[in-house]
Amino acid sequence: MNALNPSALHSAVFDHPEMGGHENIVFARDRDSGLNAIIAVHDTTLGPALGGCRVWPYEKPADALTDALRLSRGMTYKNALAGLDLGGGKAVIIACPREEKSQDMMEAFGGHVERLSGTYITAEDVGVSPEDMEAVARRTDHVRGTSATGLGDPSPYTALGVFEGIKASAMHVFGNVDLEGRTVSVQGLGHVGFEVARQLAEAGATLIVSDIHAPAVERARDALGASVVEAGDAHRVEADIFVPCALGAGLNARTIPEIRARIVAGAANNQLQTPADGIALKRRGILYAPDYAINAGGVISIALAKPGEDDGRVRAKTLAIGETLTRIFERAAHEDTTPEMVADKMAEERLAQAGQGTDS
Ligand code: NAD
């Protein structure tokens, strides 16, 4: 057996650039099922740390640690800003979701979640299916979003919040929430994007849609009367509002100079490639709705749904995303800063008020 070099371990883990105020990091293993997972609990000031479990074939364990640390911190901010009494955490399982993941592995993961005694609550994320979460739930009650605990697919609530956020953005820029006659470019017509496009069409917006998956585009064209552009052109078409609902990092040094819309407000996670891209949008006079503020409807539905209850509480909290964004936009204008910087500050202020705060 190799001797453990304490200083190497210290620099790999404790001096990791993504290490902030993380409270607990568990390296969870199970020899029989082949489980190798990292559970990162970032901050429990506001309550138990809620955040999904991702299964991904990371090339190096260090990449998995980076993802777990970064994503768990992001969940602290997202849950705080959404007004949930929940902290932030995230789990990553190092495995190929198609070839290596197994029900035994997910059960073993559930056993590790159970050992954290409710300080971490898990849910679905990339590479995890509802059946996988049922397997996790056989070993722990600290799971949300299963058919027994939740409202099912969170995407409709994410879409509801995004639509509300688009209206708040329109109010701030155009002085009017009315979307009738506004031209909106929706990029990505998956679970969230199609539903946002449907609501926009219902509100009378002129829709331009794009997706790399041809059937998704055809469906939007036929059902919603949308016009279609190539996926790579979505950001540069003549439109009032650009709604990214595909992948992250779409707002970058290449795309931002080409954007013609006055507003960017969509569901995609991690839209800004770097913090400088947020500043570039502001310089161009484009209002950006911070992604983790506008797309919180899904986590709200996972967090607040109770078995046997209707979705009234979830809808009310999701609709409040519009008011949160209005506060963010007004404060950003007042302080001459970017909306995403204000969103971070507002989350940090809530954490500080609740007690100990977080050292980022
Ligand atoms: P999805 O996989 O159902 O849909 C994504 C769609 O984007 C697919 O139709 C895909 O073909 C398309 N796409 C991929 N690359 C593209 C490209 N380059 N150009 C155009 N289209 C492209 O995913 P989803 O659940 O709808 O989520 C969309 C985004 O919102 C993701 O970034 C996701 O992380 C984020 N998000 C989703 C939820 C949720 O509740 N589903 C919650 C918060 C954030």
Side-chain angles (χ1 to χ4, degrees):
M1 204 168 87
N2 290 334
L4 186 68
N5 176 343
S7 84
L9 177 69
H10 198 279
S11 60
V13 179
F14 296 102
D15 298 335
H16 192 288
E18 294 290 342
M19 186 70 80
H22 288 82
E23 292 175 10
N24 191 14
I25 297 151
V26 176
F27 295 86
R29 306 192 66 210
D30 178 68
R31 204 166 25 188
D32 291 344
S33 66
L35 173 76
N36 283 305
I38 301 171
I39 304 172
V41 173
H42 176 254
D43 191 294
T44 57
T45 304
L46 297 172
L50 172 70
C53 167
R54 174 170 294 194
V55 178
W56 196 253
Y58 296 96
E59 260 181 44
K60 301 191 290 289
D63 296 342
L65 179 61
T66 301
D67 230 14
L69 294 175
R70 191 174 52 81
L71 295 168
S72 58
R73 180 176 179 275
M75 287 309 298
T76 297
Y77 280 72
K78 184 170 190 161
N79 293 340
L81 192 67
L84 298 169
D85 294 328
L86 289 164
K90 200 88 183 183
V92 299
I93 295 178
I94 306 170
C96 170
R98 275 190 308 273
E99 285 165 18
E100 292 168 319
K101 186 180 71 177
S102 68
Q103 296 288 289
D104 285 352
M105 188 184 277
M106 298 311 293
E107 277 198 28
F109 169 70
H112 280 282
V113 173
E114 180 63 18
R115 267 178 229 142
L116 290 169
S117 311
T119 51
Y120 169 65
I121 302 171
T122 197
E124 263 181 56
D125 197 74
V126 176
V128 173
S129 67
E131 296 73 45
D132 295 332
M133 274 298 131
E134 304 295 341
V136 174
R138 287 199 278 278
R139 298 285 294 277
T140 181
D141 287 338
H142 306 302
V143 187
R144 295 284 183 283
T146 63
S147 53
T149 62
L151 292 165
D153 181 7
S155 309
Y157 298 97
T158 304
L160 181 69
V162 170
F163 184 63
E164 223 33 46
I166 290 172
K167 286 195 287 184
S169 307
M171 186 68 205
H172 190 77
V173 171
F174 305 123
N176 198 329
V177 293
D178 192 2
L179 297 170
E180 176 101 44
R182 294 259 172 237
T183 303
V184 186
S185 171
V186 181
Q187 180 186 44
L189 298 161
H191 291 92
V192 180
F194 184 84
E195 185 52 27
V196 173
R198 195 193 58 72
Q199 291 179 67
L200 286 164
E202 220 171 75
T206 303
L207 276 183
I208 302 172
V209 298
S210 55
D211 196 293
I212 50 169
H213 186 52
V217 172
E218 280 156 29
R219 181 174 167 226
R221 192 188 52 209
D222 298 347
L224 308 176
S227 54
V228 176
V229 293
E230 288 294 319
D233 290 335
H235 67 282
R236 58 173 156 234
V237 294
E238 188 81 59
D240 298 304
I241 307 170
F242 173 41
V243 182
C245 292
L247 304 178
L251 303 174
N252 53 50
R254 180 183 62 79
T255 59
I256 290 170
E258 298 176 337
I259 294 175
R260 287 149 99 179
R262 299 272 310 278
I263 294 169
V264 178
N269 274 316
N270 304 318
Q271 291 173 38
L272 298 171
Q273 193 165 53
T274 68
D277 297 315
I279 296 165
L281 284 169
K282 178 176 181 295
R283 286 213 179 105
R284 287 215 50 219
I286 299 168
L287 183 74
Y288 170 63
D291 45 16
Y292 76 85
I294 194 171
N295 72 18
V299 77
I300 290 170
S301 83
I302 288 166
L304 297 186
K306 291 234 171 73
E309 227 181 67
D310 72 13
D311 69 351
R313 271 180 348 127
V314 169
R315 288 183 72 86
K317 197 82 169 168
T318 301
L319 293 175
I321 287 173
E323 288 146 38
T324 303
L325 281 169
T326 299
R327 287 208 309 279
I328 290 172
F329 296 149
E330 285 173 356
R331 188 163 156 186
H334 183 69
E335 295 178 6
D336 192 24
T337 184
T338 62
E340 67 279 9
M341 284 179 197
V342 170
D344 284 0
K345 265 198 231 170
M346 281 169 52
E348 283 160 9
E349 284 163 6
R350 187 167 173 232
L351 288 159
Q353 265 166 19
Q356 304 123 342
T358 176
D359 67 354
S360 85

